[in-house]
Amino acid sequence: MKVVIVGGVAGGATAAARIRRLDEQAEIVVFERSGFISYANCGLPYYIGGVIENESDLTLQTPDSFWKRFRVSMKVRHEVTAIHPENKTVTVRNLENGAVFDESYDKLLLSPGARPIKPDFEGIDSDKIFTLRTVEDMLAIKEYLTAKQPESAVVVGGGFIGLEMAENLRGLGVAVTLVEAANQLMAPFDSDMASMIHAEVRKQKVALLLGHKVEGFEGTGAGIQIRLQNADPLYADMVIMAIGVTPETALAREAGLELGMKGSILVNEKMETSIPDIYAVGDAVQIKNFVTGADTLISLAGPANKQGRIAADNICGGHSRYTGGQGSSV
């Protein structure tokens, strides 16, 4: 059996290791678009802030260590550009040299994750505006901080990434303004609990603008102007966009897989998609909230790891089921 996995990190790398434990003879190939196949996403802001000092502390596995331990072929800087279910192949581009080739599979697992939301605002492509999702994003922010020594930053979005970036930028002595369109930070919290977060954020000398929407950007030479709806503009040396993520599913859509909410991939309890022998896991799939029974998207490592294990079990002939998640986080 030959298994091709698209995407590493939580879902894909976990599935690869599990498949190897269940089947010593399977040929397993993982294609990862970035340069890193397994890393601690939650630590990225803390490397930027210097709390985590060594980049290597974020790297859980490398292609070499994965091969030595599991005999899994990890191909970093390789992007899968098309899926051909009719002949069970994928088209792959080597991002290092531009070479394009087809790879066959018996079973295909999609773990493409999600990408940061970047609204089509005027000026959004400024080199002073950053998102944080991958190690490469982290290194770009770190390099900018080192080279430009910015004195001020605007963080847009009051979820986990926004708060963690505000915390770490303040730790570096940067003046931070946190802008959130809703009337509270951390949307999953009840308002009385969120008020405690607001108090702590202000205590840390982060300027907090709740109920304000960003509507565009404009370069000002050395810095950037952030235009707000029904409010005076802000000025800063850099901007962190952290308003959420959306499933990375263009590949699945073009292959004809059935899609769900926000373009996510529809899967059953066995993590099977609508096309035989193609499975999907992680931030890109629609699941059930097992408390409410409603369809939902949960972009957390815990569910992705569980789904990777369950998909691996079923790829190897098992009968594991994923019954949903509740989105708990800490």
Side-chain angles (χ1 to χ4, degrees):
M1 177 176 67
K2 181 177 180 181
V3 183
V4 169
I5 299 175
V6 180
V9 198
T14 296
R18 178 68 173 167
I19 292 168
R20 172 57 71 228
R21 291 187 177 104
L22 296 172
D23 187 338
E24 293 185 0
Q25 306 305 319
E27 181 182 356
I28 309 168
V29 183
V30 180
F31 293 111
E32 167 57 44
R33 182 170 55 191
S34 76
F36 302 84
I37 52 96
S38 186
Y39 55 88
N41 300 69
C42 298
L44 301 184
Y46 295 92
Y47 176 78
I48 292 170
V51 179
I52 296 173
E53 296 181 357
N54 298 316
E55 182 189 332
S56 60
D57 291 339
L58 298 170
T59 306
L60 306 178
Q61 294 280 354
T62 65
D64 187 52
S65 69
F66 229 96
W67 175 256
K68 287 179 178 177
R69 185 173 179 185
F70 298 112
R71 286 298 185 263
V72 169
S73 179
M74 288 282 186
K75 304 288 188 181
V76 296
R77 302 287 295 152
H78 280 69
E79 181 178 15
V80 174
T81 59
I83 302 169
H84 312 288
E86 66 282 354
N87 56 10
K88 299 183 85 167
T89 63
V90 295
T91 299
V92 186
R93 176 182 291 111
N94 183 329
L95 299 178
E96 297 286 355
N97 59 25
V100 177
F101 60 93
D102 285 347
E103 187 85 18
S104 64
Y105 67 84
D106 296 311
K107 304 285 186 180
L108 178 65
L109 175 64
L110 304 179
S111 181
R115 55 184 167 80
I117 295 171
K118 288 187 72 174
D120 190 23
F121 290 154
E122 181 182 352
I124 193 70
D125 293 326
S126 167
D127 61 3
K128 298 178 179 67
I129 300 176
F130 300 87
T131 57
L132 179 60
R133 185 67 176 171
T134 67
V135 174
E136 283 88 350
D137 294 338
M138 175 194 77
L139 294 174
I141 295 171
K142 185 80 168 178
E143 181 180 346
Y144 185 86
L145 288 166
T146 301
K148 304 296 184 180
Q149 299 287 307
E151 296 180 359
S152 60
V154 167
V155 177
V156 184
F160 274 122
I161 298 296
L163 282 174
E164 290 167 358
M165 280 306 305
E167 173 190 355
N168 281 281
L169 289 170
R170 280 298 300 132
L172 295 173
V174 178
V176 177
T177 300
L178 181 54
V179 181
E180 168 57 51
N183 290 321
Q184 68 171 68
L185 301 175
M186 293 302 295
F189 284 77
D190 291 337
S191 59
D192 58 336
M193 301 301 291
S195 67
M196 298 168 66
I197 301 174
H198 302 162
E200 180 64 24
V201 168
R202 292 183 172 113
K203 181 181 176 182
Q204 300 301 326
K205 295 183 171 53
V206 172
L208 192 53
L209 289 180
L210 298 175
H212 286 75
K213 291 183 179 180
V214 172
E215 57 180 17
F217 303 94
E218 184 178 339
T220 61
I224 188 166
Q225 180 194 77
I226 302 92
R227 295 201 298 274
L228 303 177
Q229 198 175 82
N230 302 320
D232 292 335
L234 300 171
Y235 297 87
D237 297 323
M238 67 183 298
V239 172
I240 304 291
M241 291 293 294
I243 59 174
V245 296
T246 188
E248 184 84 76
T249 55
L251 194 62
R253 182 176 63 249
E254 292 164 6
L257 273 68
E258 192 173 345
L259 303 180
M261 59 192 304
K262 296 184 179 180
S264 57
I265 303 171
L266 282 183
V267 293
N268 61 18
E269 289 187 335
K270 298 177 71 175
M271 308 313 298
E272 295 171 323
T273 69
S274 58
I275 295 180
D277 296 322
I278 301 181
Y279 297 73
V281 300
D283 297 354
V285 305
Q286 176 179 301
I287 63 171
K288 292 286 186 186
N289 182 306
F290 66 63
V291 177
T292 65
D295 294 328
T296 189
L297 302 174
I298 297 178
S299 297
L300 294 170
N305 278 306
K306 292 174 185 175
Q307 293 161 19
R309 289 176 60 85
I310 288 167
D313 288 351
N314 295 317
I315 284 171
C316 295
H319 301 283
S320 294
R321 297 288 190 275
Y322 184 76
T323 56
Q326 63 180 7
S328 56
S329 52
V330 60

